[in-house]
Each structure stands twice: as structure tokens, then as C-alpha cells.
């Protein structure tokens, strides 16, 4: 119990107090073991090496009254995903911790069976032997034929990374609640329908029995009842009773508390996903009511059956399947939601967290974020957030408090938690340690994140439980979180180093015995938990919650993976749909694309690069977390020799670190890179509706990655990339002229990452035009792909281009020339360094984003500095303000030469955006300068 | 001074070679128009722009619709539909001081032989106008329509003093504000009245073909019953059709004809004060002989438009621009080929700048500068015509003025050009505060703005909004 956490606590304090460079080597007994799978060639980020499944998946299980716990389905529904993982065994595990008070039946003092509308329970389970950790969402569905009318189900998000589960608990909980609500709503509908049928049956039976009794009465008028008649009368009585019972049940199910019918909101949202179905759930605000109304109208054809007196026992018959238990529409929606969840949480935890933080920070930049951010995503997030607000009451804080949730602590905390996640895994594995390698890493230690280490109280907890071998731990549940977070959140959020948090380390450990099931707390049915149990770990819970609340900052960030493609809902399987939607022309290629490299080449690569061999040491792991990209780049460098185009899928995306991304999809991306057919397909679709909103494609990771890759190529290939990018950044339309459509489109897509947006609508990019350009085109588009044609129309186009040469820069792809104004600034070289060491598209994309974010910050400062634009005292000459502006731009913002124009252009866009009442309503004016252009050649 | 293709790699435009057209490179430091806004509403050539007040203007063209715009924001305020054919004249009828209604009326004449008088309410009043003889449900405005014309009305004139307006077609009609026909002349000519201006003593001058006809309008008095129009005099000094007619000051009015005759008339006794008719002198280069056949169109010397200030008349002659000084009675500066093709409209800005627009789709900004004595060039207008064009004989009848003795003191320097339209720029309007509006045969209207000033205005607006939202914290 004590050993492991203590070691860590010690090492941590050590690190906290001392400079990392001066730190003496630890005594051997305290040294932390190496990553155990290093010998097998796995990389340290791949925690899957311990698990038997290849990536995260969702499992739906049932505690069947006939056969016990059994798995029903997995999402994605692909045996490759869970591999040899024993679903049956795991179902047993997760179904054995159902804490909900799903008491249905005859409660004492009640004449009729009573339905309890129980809340779902949400627990986190760990099975360290299987290497599987799960967020488990228990729910109860009603089934008339089931014992007590209830069928316990659970949906589990299973991951090999326990920290992912813990840190994403709130998000998982929110998302699964939606799915569960949807499922339950559908189930109630189905149940009510079933009850009605049953009532009709009973009614019919009663009539029949009644008639029979009458006949019997008439038949024997002897004055006494035969045993047969008595039996009939009893039967009739029981039918009567049954009718009353069932009516009561029907009444209960219909009187399902309205407050809980937020499921209908969900369903309306989910119909957005499913798209193919204009669901009635979306239109009817209350599914129950609609069910009530159409029940009698829609199903008049039901012919009642006679019900036998002795009802069949449940063991004799087949139980309803999950699909039968639920209304079909709702069932497909639930599946869609589940696959959405699967996609949402796909990838490495650090990746998820980073993107969440990223988005949360971006959201705060609401004044500037429209410039370069992807708005399809942002909108998606906005929608999600709106919905999540009611679901998470604890988030509804008064504005004043939300001010305190400044972004910095969130970031720090999340960093810390990521670090810790690596750490705990290490401790779990008792292997030998390569000391010299450890020192190597020490040299690279930056030490700048030390303070956050103190926030790892949860971590201790993990360590305590890890040692217990075959155990299932319930590590956290929802309700306690929400209750306690309120008390502790502020302290821990704003003061990352508060003593309270540091102290917490000591108390947050628990012993977990072999094969024990431990429950910290459960959500609604607290009554089930013994009081002494609740009392026994108050501080542990407390701290845990304060921690969880730190993570809860991250709850605001909704993971916005690209919105699901249409048609996905029907598929129910995530695996297939991306391929179908993406690659209408690449499918042939995709089949040839190796699915294998995930395992073999990637592993060897990382071996030879020594990425893995850097020992994951104590607090150093956080460095690794940050160096992931660069390390991977290095490996790319070496791998470029033998495969320049087709990198193993494994390396190409940070989100692949866990290899839980869809392999086939990745390989598709990379292998299609050389032909660029995907991008052209995507952009064609976007082109059809010139000013319409983003198609789903461009916002995806894949798209960004490809754009980044092509932009990198462009920068390397063309020495005059800088003035071209300057043109884009300063709002001068860049016309990419070429004969070959695919090439032009590819380059336009790549360069579009540098184009500032006007507003929330699509980027002002036109991928392909063949008609002559007009002045209004330059007002509307900032990047245009133009066809060079020999036809008269083509010469017309060229003539128009030369006529409007002052508004455009022209990049001629065929002649490899660029005509545009001179650029002498320093900004673009940083953005687009020809000799950059960045090799990967996604990395470069991120690099661009970060430089542009900096730029936006400068533009923001410039725009909103009062004294720069308004006369400071009384009447002041305009020249004074102008000189103030110039000196601010040059001295304070460090801009030279043409960089000033970039910031000024962005500032214009900011002003326009800010002052517009209806964003996007007014087109921005076309701004231009009368500056000479130069012709650049390779 | 010529900035020949400063942009290094710029492909020379073919036009630059074949005529001594002055061009300016891409570097135009004095050109203030660094922002533009394209306004789209018309479906055909936009021919007319008329200013309504400080910030509004109306545009009209061959599609028969009139659109009212906000010159500041480029917002489309109103669209007036009513004409079935192209609009041939548009004029505003200012509201009477006595009248309570401050609304302006817009008079439009169209090839469908109707004149529509439409109320142009203040934006705030659009919703309040509720009654009128003719109701236009689309825009909520009163519209009155006169359709008793025998011919297309080609010009309109408003006589504020008499509170009447005149329409000129094949005949001249006089109307009052209520659209009652007050008086009408007999049929004048089949070509019709091409221009109409008011001159003192209740007279109007109408340009009918080569003639100028002076009419006197007789207002009703005790003696007479009604209005009358009397033809007073016909002036026959022009050799060809009169294209333009303006009164430049209290003393004189000016006419310009198709063959490049500029005649300055005394406004009171209608006599010729001065005459200038040798604008069409081709450039002295002999090798232009071939070019003349190719690109010099018959209307190359036609005078399309004038503008004037206290001292000078600025004349658009064919492709060139000429500055005629009223005191010196001679051309003091010129640009023979200011544009690639006919200059359609010129305007003088307060800051000694001249703007011209042309069929070649460009708008050019010129500055009238005092020229260094040393750099003085001989005046081309003084050159005697060397080629025997058909009009030489007309020319010969006039004594050639000897102007060489006075070296030219002024020159027109190109300081910027505005390229945006893809077709002939028909007209433009200058707003002191909001920049320049151009309309063109490419169906577009472009609003050219001073980018720096607009940027400052936006900045101001931003801080205003910040203040409104309470987000502005001023450091103490």
C-alpha cells in the first residue's frame, strides 16, 4: 500500500525543490522501472501493448436473467478492434458493479408493481490484469417479459489508458448520458406500446373468460359452483388484477418525469447526425406524448390474443434483443451517438487533452479566432456546448466565477495530468531500468513544468490500485464529482500550488485487495453505499474531486472531431464510413494500402531512432509528451530514405500515437498523398457551392494534414513562397494559374491555410475558375485557382488578369513564376522556413497555426489599443496618431517593413468583424495598395 | 514624370505601345482610393448617377430600374421599378422650402415614353408614407406616371424658380409638380432635344441637332391665361450635332459638338464669346497615320462632356482632356490621349484634381499643375492641321489663333487611375466624404474610397461600440 505512492511522492518533492540539472541520481531502490514493453519494440505511448485490443471501443453488455452477463455489441463492430480481448469476461466484470437502485416490483406498502425511474449510474472500472479500463454506464431498460420488468444493460467505453477514462470522465459521462437517454426514451416508447398490446390482450382474455363463465353459469344452474367454475372465476380475477396492474404501469411509464425528457433534445440533435431521417423525434418536442397520440391511430391492426392463465416462465422463451426493446428510430440514433463517442475519444489522451485545451483557449479568443480557425469545427463545438450546458449543472456558474477560470491554470493542470498518466503506467510495470539513458533525458529536461506535478493527487490513487493485480476498482463516479467540485474548484484552479492540493497526496491512497470490488461513490443511489464507507475516505474523495474539477475545465472543451458523415448512423460502424465518404476515387488504392505498418515498420523505426529508448522517467515523461512530434519527425527523417511518400501510418499523426486511429483511413490518406485525388474530390465538393459553409471534409484532421504537407512542399519547392504567402496574409488576392486542375486545386488547398477569414463563413478561397475574373471576384476571393486555357475564353481570362494586376499576385504554376509585390519582413520566413525541420504535414499545420495565432494577438493589440487610433487629448493632428501607430507597430510589436501591412489588414478584418451587427452580412471592401509588383522566377 | 511600368516584370500592355497614352505604374502614392466596394443591382448598363443628398445617390440605366444607395456603406436602400424600357434621363426635383414634405422627388424619363416621378423618402420615413395617387407596393413609395408623350423624353430640366419642370423630346413640354401639362411646343425635330438648360430671363436653351433654340417661358399673369413657351432665337453656329450644353457661370454657357467645336456663349444676349474648334488636331507624329485609320473613331473629337470651375472649362474631347481658360480664352493644358477611348465624363474636384472616365473602362485622376517654364511644350492645339480630313474646310473658315507666344503654364499630370470596371465607365459621382462612385456598362457600380480614412472611421466605430458595450476602460 505504501511503497509505490511514497516513492513517487518523494521523487516529486525532490524535483520540485531542486533544479533539474543539479539533481543527484536517485538511489537504486527508488528508481522507477523502465517501460516494460520497450524490449518488445513498442513505443512508450502505446499503452496498448499491455492490452489485448488494438484501440478503444465501446461495449454494450447485458445482465441477462437467463445467461448472466453477456456482451451484445461493440462499436466499432469489428473483431480486429478488440482482438483477443475477452468480451464475456469483461462483461461479467462490468455488469457485476451495477449499483443502481433499480428496484422494480412490489415495494412494501404498495399494491401494484412500481416502476422506478432510476438514474443511470456511471462508474469507472479498471482491470489491470486485462489492461483494460472502462467507463461504465449502467442503465435499465423496461421489458414487460423480464423479471421485474427490467433489463439491466451497460455501455462501456473501454480503453487501455486508465487516465484517459479518468480525465475524460465528465465528457464521457455527458456523451454516454445522451446515448442512454436516447435509448431509454426509445425503450419507454416501445414499452408503452408493449403494455398497450398486453392490455388489449388482457381485455380480450377477460371478455372471453367472462363469456365462458356466463356459459358455465347457464350450463349448470345447480346453485353451487363447480371447481372448474371457481377456477375460471379465479382466472378472471387474476386477469382483472393484471389489467389494473398493467394500466398502472402504463400510467407510470407515461408519466415519466418531464424533467428527464431532455432526451428529446438529444434526439433532435442526433437527428442532425443521422441526417437521413427527418425524425419525428426531432419535431415532436415530447416523444411520450406523440407516442400517446399515435398509438391508437397507427396500430389499429393489432389483433388481441388470448392470454393463457399460466404465463410462460421467462426461462422458457427468448428474451427480446436490445433492438426489439427500443423504438427503431431511437435505436439507430443511439448507435449513431455511440459511434460519435467512439470517434470523439479516439486517439491518445495527450492528443485529446491538447486539442481540448487548444479549443478552449481558442474559444476565449472570440474576437480574433475567426481569422484563421476552422469554423465548421467551431460551430460544431458551439452546438455541443449549448447542449452540454443543461446536462452539467455544475458548469452553470455565474459569469463572475467563470472569469476566474482563466486559461492558464487549466493548461497547467492538464499538462500535469498528462505527465502523471505516463508516470503511473511506469510504476505499474516492474522492469529493470537503464540508468544511463535516464541521465540522457535529464539533460533535456526543461523543468519548467514542475509546479504542476503537485496536482497529481489522483495519480497516487492509481498507483495504489495498480499493485492489486486482478481487481476492479471503481475509481470515480459522477455525482460526487459534481457535488464536491464546487467547493474545491476555485482553489485548485486558480492556485495550482495551493498547499491543500499538495497535502492531498498523502491521503489519497487506498488499499485494494485482490479480487475486490471497491466503490468510492456512486451517483444517484447513494443510499446503497454504506455510510461508513462514505465516511472512510472523505479526503480522498475530496481531493479526487478537486482534481476532477481541474479536469472539468476541460469539460467545457467539447471534443470536436469532425461531425459525422451522413449515412453513418445507418452503418452503425465507424470503420467503414470514413472510407466511403472520403474516397470515392481512392477506394482502389485504399485496399492496397497496407494496414500492417502499424505494427511492424513503425516499431522498428522508433527503435532505431531511439525514441523509445529514452526512458520514461518520473517527471521527465512530460517532456516526452512534448517531444513526441519532434521525435517522430526524426524517425521520419531516417525513414524518408526508404519511403518518402508512404510513411507508415503510425507516424503520420499525433493522434496515432495510441494507434487507435483508424488504420486503414490513415494509410489511405498517406498513400493517396502523391496523387492528391482526395483533396481534389474534397475541394470539388466545396467548390460547387462557392460561398456556402464548409463541407465536412476540410475541417478534418486529415484535410489539415494534407494541406500542411502540400504547403510544406510548396515552401520547399518555390523560393518565392514568402512573397506569395505575404500576399495572402495581407489580403491581396493570389491567383494560382495553371493548366492542370488537380495541381492547381492541390496548391490552392495547401495555401488556403494562410488565408484569413472574413468572418464565420467559409474561407474566401475559390479552388478552380475557368472564366475571366471580375473585380467582384477579388472582393470575394482571396485565393483563386485559375485555369490557363488556350481557348479565346482563356486568353480573355489572362487579359482580365493583367488588367486587374494591381489587385492580384499571380502564381504561374506552369512557368513557375510569381508576380507580386516585394516582401522584406521577418514574419513570413518564420512561418514558412524553407529549411524547416518540420517534415510532417500535421506538424507544419500546427506550426502555422501557432505563428498565425501570435499574429492574431498582435493584430488584436493593435486594433484595440485605444490611444493608437483616437486622439489622446482634445484635437490632435492625425499625423500624431499615425506616428503613434507606426511606432507601436514597429517597436512594441516588432514588425518590420511589410509585416506592418499584414497586421493592418488583419486589424481591418477584426474591426469589420467586431462592428458588424450581423456577422457575414456585409462583404468587406476590397482593400489594395498601389505598390509595384515584381516578377519572381525559380 | 511618367512612371513607365515600374513593376519590374510587368508585361507591357499592348495599348501602351500604340498610342502615346500616358500611363502610370502600379505605384500611385497620390491616389487616395485604396478601397473599393462593388455594388450589384442592375442587370444592364448603368448610365446615370444622381446625388440625392450628402450620403445617398441613385443609379439608373438600361434595365429601367432606379436604385437608391447609401454611399457610405454601399447599402442598397431602395429599388424603384416602374419603367419597362431603358431610362433616358434622370433628375431630382428638390423639395420646395415652403412645402412641409422634405422628400425629394426623382424624375425619370424612359424610352417607354413615360416619365415617372417617384418620391424618395428619407430612410426613416419609408414606413410612414401611406398615401398617394399611385402606390408602389414593393417599396412603399408614391409613384406617379405620365405617359402622354409622343416621343422618348431625352432630357429633363427643373426650373426651381418657377417650380416647373421641362421635358425635352421631339417637342418641349412644361409640367408642374403635380404633373399637370402646362404647355407644349409644336414638333421641333425628329432628332429631338438632346440637352436643355436654364438661362436667365425665364429662358431655356435647347440643343436640337446642330441648332440651339432659345425658348422663353411665359408664366401666367393677370393678362394671360396660362403658361406659354415662345421660341425666341435659333443659333446656328455649330457645324455638327451638339452633344453637350452647360451653363458655366452667370455670364456664359458652353456648347460642344460632335466635331469638336466648343463655343462659349454669352448667357444674356446669346452671342458667341469665344470659339475653339481645333481640338481634333491629330498628334504631330507622322507615323500615326496608320493608327488613325485603326483606332481613331469618327467621334474621336466629339465633345462629350464639360466641367468647369471659376477659371477654366475642362473639356472631354474624344480621347483627350483639355483645359480651356475662360480669361485667356485659350487652351492652357491638355492631354490628347488621356484614355484609350472616348472620355465620357469629367469632373473637377476641389483640390485642383480632375477625374475623367472613359469607354476604355478606366477612371483617371489628373492634377492641374503649374508647369515649369523650361519644360513647356508647344501647344498642340495651335498646330495647324496637316491632313486633309473632311472637316478641314470647316476648320479653315476660322482664323487660327496665335497662341504660341504664351508658353503653357499648366499641365495635366496623371496621378492615379482606378481600374475596376470591365467595360465602359459611363459616369461617376464624387462625394466629398465618401469617395467616388462610378457606374459602367458592365452593370456594376463601384464605390471607391479612401482606405486610410475608412480605416480610421472603422476604428472609431469600433471604439464606439466598445464604449456602448461598456468594454472600454480608459487608463487613467
Amino acid at each position: 500500500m505504501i511503497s509505490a505512492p511514497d516513492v513517487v511522492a518523494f521523487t516529486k518533492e525532490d524535483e520540485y525543490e531542486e533544479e533539474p540539472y543539479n539533481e543527484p541520481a536517485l538511489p537504486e531502490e527508488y528508481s522507477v522501472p523502465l517501460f516494460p514493453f520497450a524490449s518488445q519494440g513498442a513505443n512508450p505511448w502505446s499503452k496498448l501493448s499491455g492490452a489485448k485490443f488494438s484501440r478503444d471501443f465501446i461495449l454494450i453488455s447485458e445482465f441477462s436473467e437467463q445467461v448472466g452477463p453477456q456482451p451484445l455489441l461493440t462499436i466499432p463492430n469489428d473483431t480486429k478492434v478488440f482482438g483477443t480481448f475477452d468480451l464475456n469476461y469483461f462483461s461479467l466484470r462490468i455488469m457485476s458493479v451495477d449499483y443502481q437502485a433499480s428496484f422494480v416490483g412490489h415495494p412494501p406498502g404498495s399494491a401494484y408493481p412500481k416502476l422506478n425511474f432510476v438514474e443511470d449510474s456511471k462508474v469507472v472500472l479498471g482491470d489491470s490484469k486485462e489492461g483494460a479500463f472502462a467507463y461504465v454506464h449502467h442503465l435499465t431498460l423496461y421489458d414487460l417479459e423480464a423479471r421485474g420488468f427490467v433489463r439491466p444493460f451497460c455501455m462501456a467505453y473501454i480503453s487501455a489508458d486508465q487516465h484517459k477514462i479518468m480525465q475524460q470522465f465528465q465528457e464521457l459521462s455527458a456523451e454516454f448520458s445522451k446515448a442512454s437517454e436516447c435509448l431509454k426514451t426509445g425503450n419507454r416508447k416501445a414499452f408503452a406500446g408493449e403494455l398497450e398490446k398486453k392490455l388489449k390482450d388482457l381485455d380480450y382474455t377477460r371478455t372471453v373468460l367472462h363469456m365462458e363463465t356466463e356459459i358455465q353459469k347457464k350450463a349448470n344452474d345447480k346453485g353451487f359452483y363447480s371447481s372448474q367454475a371457481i377456477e375460471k372465476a379465479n382466472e378472471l380475477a387474476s386477469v382483472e388484477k393484471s389489467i389494473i396492474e398493467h394500466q398502472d404501469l402504463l400510467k407510470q411509464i407515461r408519466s415519466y418525469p418531464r424533467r428527464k425528457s431532455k432526451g428529446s433534445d438529444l434526439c433532435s440533435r442526433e437527428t442532425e447526425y443521422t441526417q437521413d431521417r427527418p425524425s419525428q423525434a426531432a419535431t415532436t418536442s415530447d416523444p411520450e406524448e406523440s407516442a400517446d397520440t399515435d398509438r391508437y391511430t397507427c396500430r389499429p391492426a393489432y389483433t388481441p390474443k388470448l392470454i393463457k392463465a399460466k404465463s410462460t416462465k421467462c426461462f422458457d422463451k427468448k428474451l427480446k434483443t436490445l433492438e426489439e426493446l427500443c423504438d427503431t428510430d431511437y435505436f439507430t440514433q443511439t448507435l449513431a451517438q455511440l459511434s460519435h463517442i467512439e470517434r470523439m475519444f479516439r486517439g491518445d489522451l495527450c492528443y485529446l487533452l491538447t486539442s481540448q485545451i487548444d479549443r478552449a483557449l481558442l474559444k476565449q479568443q472570440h474576437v480574433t479566432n475567426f481569422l484563421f480557425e476552422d469554423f465548421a469545427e467551431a460551430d460544431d463545438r458551439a452546438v455541443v456546448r449549448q447542449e452540454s450546458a443543461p446536462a452539467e449543472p455544475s458548469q452553470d456558474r455565474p459569469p463572475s466565477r467563470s472569469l476566474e477560470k482563466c486559461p492558464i491554470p487549466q493548461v497547467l493542470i492538464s499538462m500535469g495530468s498528462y505527465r502523471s498518466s505516463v508516470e503511473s503506467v511506469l510504476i505499474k510495470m516492474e522492469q529493470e531500468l537503464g540508468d544511463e539513458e535516464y541521465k540522457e533525458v535529464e539533460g533535456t529536461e526543461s523543468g519548467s513544468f514542475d509546479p504542476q506535478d503537485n496536482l497529481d493527487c489522483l495519480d497516487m490513487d492509481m498507483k495504489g490500485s495498480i499493485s492489486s493485480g486482478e481487481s476492479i476498482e471503481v475509481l470515480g463516479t459522477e455525482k460526487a464529482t459534481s457535488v464536491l467540485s464546487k467547493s474545491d474548484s476555485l482553489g485548485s484552479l486558480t492556485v495550482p500550488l495551493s498547499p491543500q492540493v499538495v497535502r492531498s497526496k498523502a491521503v489519497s491512497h487506498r488499499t485494494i485487495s485482490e479480487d475486490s470490488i471497491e466503490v468510492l461513490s456512486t451517483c444517484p443511489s447513494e443510499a446503497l453505499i454504506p455510510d461508513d464507507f462514505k465516511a472512510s475516505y472523505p479526503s480522498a474523495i475530496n481531493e479526487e474531486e478537486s482534481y476532477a474539477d481541474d479536469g472539468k475545465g476541460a469539460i467545457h472543451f467539447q471534443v470536436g472531431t469532425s461531425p459525422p458523415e451522413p449515412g453513418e448512423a445507418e452503418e452503425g460502424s465507424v470503420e467503414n464510413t470514413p472510407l466511403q465518404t472520403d474516397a470515392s476515387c481512392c477506394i482502389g488504392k485504399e485496399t492496397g494500402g497496407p494496414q500492417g505498418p502499424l505494427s511492424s515498420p513503425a516499431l522498428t523505426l522508433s527503435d532505431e531512432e531511439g525514441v523509445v529508448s529514452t526512458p520514461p522517467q518520473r517527471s521527465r515523461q512530460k517532456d516526452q509528451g512534448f517531444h513526441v512530434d519532434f521525435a517522430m519527425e526524426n524517425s521520419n527523417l531516417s525513414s524518408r530514405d526508404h519511403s518518402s511518400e508512404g510513411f507508415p501510418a503510425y507516424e503520420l499523426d499525433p493522434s496515432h500515437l495510441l494507434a487507435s486511429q483508424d488504420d486503414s483511413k490513415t494509410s489511405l490518406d498517406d498513400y493517396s498523398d502523391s496523387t492528391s485525388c482526395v483533396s481534389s474530390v474534397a475541394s470539388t465538393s466545396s467548390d460547387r457551392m462557392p460561398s456556402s459553409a464548409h463541407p465536412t471534409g476540410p475541417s478534418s484532421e486529415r484535410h489539415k494534414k494534407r494541406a500542411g504537407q502540400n504547403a510544406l512542399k510548396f515552401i520547399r519547392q518555390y523560393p518565392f513562397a514568402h512573397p506569395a504567402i505575404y500576399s495572402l496574409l495581407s489580403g491581396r488576392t493570389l491567383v494560382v494559374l495553371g493548366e492542370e486542375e488537380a495541381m492547381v486545386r492541390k496548391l490552392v488547398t495547401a495555401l488556403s491555410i494562410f488565408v484569413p477569414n472574413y468572418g464565420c463563413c467559409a474561407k474566401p478561397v475559390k479552388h478552380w475558375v475557368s472564366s475571366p475574373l471580375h473585380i467582384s471576384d477579388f472582393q470575394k476571393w482571396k485565393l483563386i485557382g485559375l485555369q490557363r486555357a488556350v481557348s479565346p475564353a482563356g486568353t480573355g481570362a489572362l487579359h482580365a488578369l493583367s488588367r486587374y494586376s494591381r489587385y492580384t499576385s499571380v502564381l504561374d504554376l506552369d512557368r513557375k513564376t510569381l508576380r507580386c509585390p516585394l516582401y522584406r519582413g521577418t514574419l513570413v520566413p518564420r512561418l514558412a522556413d524553407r529549411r524547416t525541420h518540420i517534415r510532417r504535414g500535421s506538424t507544419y499545420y500546427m506550426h502555422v497555426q501557432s505563428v498565425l495565432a501570435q499574429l492574431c494577438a498582435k493584430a488584436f493589440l493593435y486594433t484595440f489599443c485605444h490611444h493608437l487610433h483616437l486622439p489622446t487629448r482634445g484635437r490632435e493632428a492625425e499625423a500624431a496618431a499615425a506616428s503613434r501607430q507606426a511606432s507601436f507597430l514597429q517597436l512594441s510589436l516588432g514588425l518590420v517593413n511589410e509585416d506592418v501591412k499584414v497586421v493592418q489588414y488583419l486589424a481591418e478584418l477584426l474591426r469589420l468583424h467586431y462592428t458588424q451587427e450581423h456577422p457575414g452580412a456585409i462583404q468587406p471592401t476590397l482593400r489594395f495598395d498601389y505598390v509595384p509588383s515584381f516578377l519572381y522566377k525559380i | 514624370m511618367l512612371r513607365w511600368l515600374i513593376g519590374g516584370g510587368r508585361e507591357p500592355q499592348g495599348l501602351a505601345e500604340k498610342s502615346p497614352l500616358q500611363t502610370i505604374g502600379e505605384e500611385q502614392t497620390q491616389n487616395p482610393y485604396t478601397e473599393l466596394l462593388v455594388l450589384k443591382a442592375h442587370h444592364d448598363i448603368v448610365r446615370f448617377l444622381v446625388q440625392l443628398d450628402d450620403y445617398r445617390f441613385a443609379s439608373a440605366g438600361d434595365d429601367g430600374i432606379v436604385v437608391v444607395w447609401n454611399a457610405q456603406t454601399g447599402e442598397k436602400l431602395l429599388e424603384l421599378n416602374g419603367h419597362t424600357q431603358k431610362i433616358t434621363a434622370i433628375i431630382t426635383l428638390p423639395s420646395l422650402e415652403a412645402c412641409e414634405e422634405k422628400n425629394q422627388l426623382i424624375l425619370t424619363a424612359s424610352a417607354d415614353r413615360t416619365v415617372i416621378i417617384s418620391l424618395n423618402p428619407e430612410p426613416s420615413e419609408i414606413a410612414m408614407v401611406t398615401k398617394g395617387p399611385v402606390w408602389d407596393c414593393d417599396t412603399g413609395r408614391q409613384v406617379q406616371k405620365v405617359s402622354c408623350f409622343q416621343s422618348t423624353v431625352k432630357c429633363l430640366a427643373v426650373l426651381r424658380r418657377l417650380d416647373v419642370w421641362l421635358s425635352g423630346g421631339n417637342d418641349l413640354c412644361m409640367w408642374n409638380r403635380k404633373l399637370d401639362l402646362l404647355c407644349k411646343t409644336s414638333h421641333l425635330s425628329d432628332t429631338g432635344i438632346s440637352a436643355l438648360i436654364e438661362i436667365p430671363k425665364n429662358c431655356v436653351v435647347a440643343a436640337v441637332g446642330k441648332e440651339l433654340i432659345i425658348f422663353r417661358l411665359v408664366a401666367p399673369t393677370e393678362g394671360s391665361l396660362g403658361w406659354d413657351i415662345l421660341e425666341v432665337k435659333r443659333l446656328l453656329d455649330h457645324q455638327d450635332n451638339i452633344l453637350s450644353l452647360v451653363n458655366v457661370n452667370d455670364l456664359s454657357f458652353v456648347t460642344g459638338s460632335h466635331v469638336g467645336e466648343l463655343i462659349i456663349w454669352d448667357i444674356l444676349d446669346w452671342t458667341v464669346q469665344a470659339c475653339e474648334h481645333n481640338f481634333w488636331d491629330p498628334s504631330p507624329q507622322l507615323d500615326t497615320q496608320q493608327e488613325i485609320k485603326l483606332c481613331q473613331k469618327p467621334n474621336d473629337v466629339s465633345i462629350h462632356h464639360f466641367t468647369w470651375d471659376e477659371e477654366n472649362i475642362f473639356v472631354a474631347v474624344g480621347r483627350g482632356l483639355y483645359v480651356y481658360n475662360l480669361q485667356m480664352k485659350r487652351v492652357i493644358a491638355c492631354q490628347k490621349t488621356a484614355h484609350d477611348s472616348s472620355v465620357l465624363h469629367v469632373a473637377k474636384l476641389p483640390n485642383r484634381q480632375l477625374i475623367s472616365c472613359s469607354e476604355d473602362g478606366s477612371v483617371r485622376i489628373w492634377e492641374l499643375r503649374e508647369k515649369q517654364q523650361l519644360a513647356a511644350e508647344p501647344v498642340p492645339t495651335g498646330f495647324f492641321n496637316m491632313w486633309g480630313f473632311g472637316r478641314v474646310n470647316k476648320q479653315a473658315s476660322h482664323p487660327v489663333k496665335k497662341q504660341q507666344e504664351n508658353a503653357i503654364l499648366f499641365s495635366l499630370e496623371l496621378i492615379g487611375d482606378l481600374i475596376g470596371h470591365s467595360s465602359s465607365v459611363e459616369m461617376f459621382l464624387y462625394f466629398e466624404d465618401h469617395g467616388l462612385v462610378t457606374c459602367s456598362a458592365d452593370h456594376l457600380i463601384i464605390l471607391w474610397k479612401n482606405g486610410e480614412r475608412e480605416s480610421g472611421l472603422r476604428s472609431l466605430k469600433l471604439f464606439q461600440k466598445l464604449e456602448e458595450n461598456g468594454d472600454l476602460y480608459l487608463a487613467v
Side-chain angles (χ1 to χ4, degrees), chain B residues 128-146:
Chain B
M128 292 160 59
V129 178
T130 52
K131 56 178 186 197
V134 180
W135 183 254
D136 183 338
C137 7
D138 282 344
T139 47
R141 224 163 322 89
Q142 295 177 54
V143 174
Q144 278 176 298
K145 196 170 193 172
V146 189

Side-chain angles (χ1 to χ4, degrees), chain A residues 715-861:
Chain A
I715 289 159
R716 294 221 178 87
Q717 191 180 351
Y718 294 94
F720 47 72
H722 290 176
I725 292 170
Y726 161 69
S727 283
L728 293 173
L729 286 177
S730 60
R732 187 180 172 111
T733 302
L734 179 70
V735 177
V736 178
L737 188 64
E739 274 180 62
E740 207 182 314
E741 178 170 356
M743 267 180 55
V744 172
R745 280 185 181 280
K746 191 171 154 187
L747 187 58
V748 167
T749 313
L751 289 176
S752 65
I753 64 176
F754 300 106
V755 179
N757 269 348
Y758 292 153
C760 300
C761 42
K763 283 211 171 196
V765 174
K766 180 96 175 155
H767 286 82
W768 184 248
V769 198
S770 48
S771 55
L773 296 171
H774 285 280
I775 186 78
S776 47
D777 295 324
F778 304 120
Q779 188 178 336
K780 209 188 302 173
W781 312 111
K782 290 299 166 198
L783 177 58
I784 303 176
L786 181 67
Q787 182 181 27
R788 179 205 297 281
V790 282
S791 65
T795 54
L798 288 184
H799 180 74
L801 203 58
S802 75
R803 177 174 177 81
Y804 296 124
S805 61
R806 68 177 55 170
Y807 307 115
T808 58
S809 300
V810 182
L811 176 63
D812 191 327
L813 272 187
D814 304 327
R815 294 179 194 156
K816 309 241 181 278
T817 59
L818 172 74
R819 203 190 63 80
C820 83
L822 189 67
Y823 175 74
R824 291 159 302 170
T826 57
L827 189 101
V828 178
R830 243 187 308 146
L831 193 63
D833 185 3
R834 262 194 106 180
R835 282 176 272 283
T836 178
H837 293 292
I838 298 172
R839 301 281 156 190
R840 288 181 11 208
S842 53
T843 316
Y844 182 69
Y845 184 85
M846 287 175 197
H847 170 71
V848 168
Q849 287 288 304
S850 79
V851 175
L852 292 180
Q854 264 185 348
L855 190 60
C856 287
K858 285 180 177 175
F860 176 82
L861 277 180

Side-chain angles (χ1 to χ4, degrees), chain B residues 23 38 50 62 81 89 98-99 116 128 142 203 207 215 218 220 255 270 293 382 393 420 423 441 462:
Chain B
T23 54
V38 179
V50 56
D62 287 3
N81 297 292
C99 186
I116 291 185
M128 292 160 59
Q142 295 177 54
C203 289
F215 294 100
V218 182
T255 53
W270 318 312
K293 287 177 193 157
N393 47 358
S423 183
L462 175 115

Side-chain angles (χ1 to χ4, degrees), chain B residues 31 122 183 206 218 221-222 310-311 376 380 399 428 440 458 474:
Chain B
N31 190 343
E122 294 292 324
C183 190
V218 182
T221 53
E222 294 84 45
E310 298 75 34
E311 303 163 1
F428 60 87
S440 159
R458 277 194 286 268
L474 292 175

Side-chain angles (χ1 to χ4, degrees), chain B residues 207-212 235-242:
Chain B
V208 184
K210 298 177 194 175
E211 299 179 351
L212 282 176
L235 307 169
L236 302 165
D237 295 73
H238 275 291
Q239 309 289 327
D240 205 340
N241 287 338
I242 297 166

Side-chain angles (χ1 to χ4, degrees), chain A residues 775-776 779 803-807 819 863 866 869-870 908 911-912 914-915 925-928 930-931 933, chain B residues 7-8 26 28 31 33-38 40 360-361 417 419-421 455 458-460 465-466:
Chain A
I775 186 78
S776 47
Q779 188 178 336
R803 177 174 177 81
Y804 296 124
S805 61
R806 68 177 55 170
Y807 307 115
R819 203 190 63 80
T863 316
H866 185 262
H869 304 282
L870 299 180
E908 279 311 318
R911 279 178 202 136
L912 217 59
Y914 189 85
T915 51
T925 55
L926 170 61
R927 287 174 62 81
F928 49 91
Y930 296 104
V931 288
S933 285
Chain B
E26 287 172 338
Q28 302 174 6
N31 190 343
Y33 300 105
T34 55
E35 210 173 285
L36 65 82
L37 201 57
V38 179
K40 282 185 193 167
D360 65 4
D417 58 350
I419 293 177
H421 289 292
S455 174
R458 277 194 286 268
S459 203
L460 217 61
K465 186 169 178 186
L466 270 177

Side-chain angles (χ1 to χ4, degrees), chain A residues 235-251:
Chain A
E235 209 173 302
L236 194 60
S238 80
V239 168
E240 294 280 3
K241 185 175 177 246
S242 184
I243 286 175
I244 294 171
E245 278 178 9
H246 280 85
Q247 276 169 343
D248 190 60
L249 281 175
L250 188 61
K251 208 170 74 193

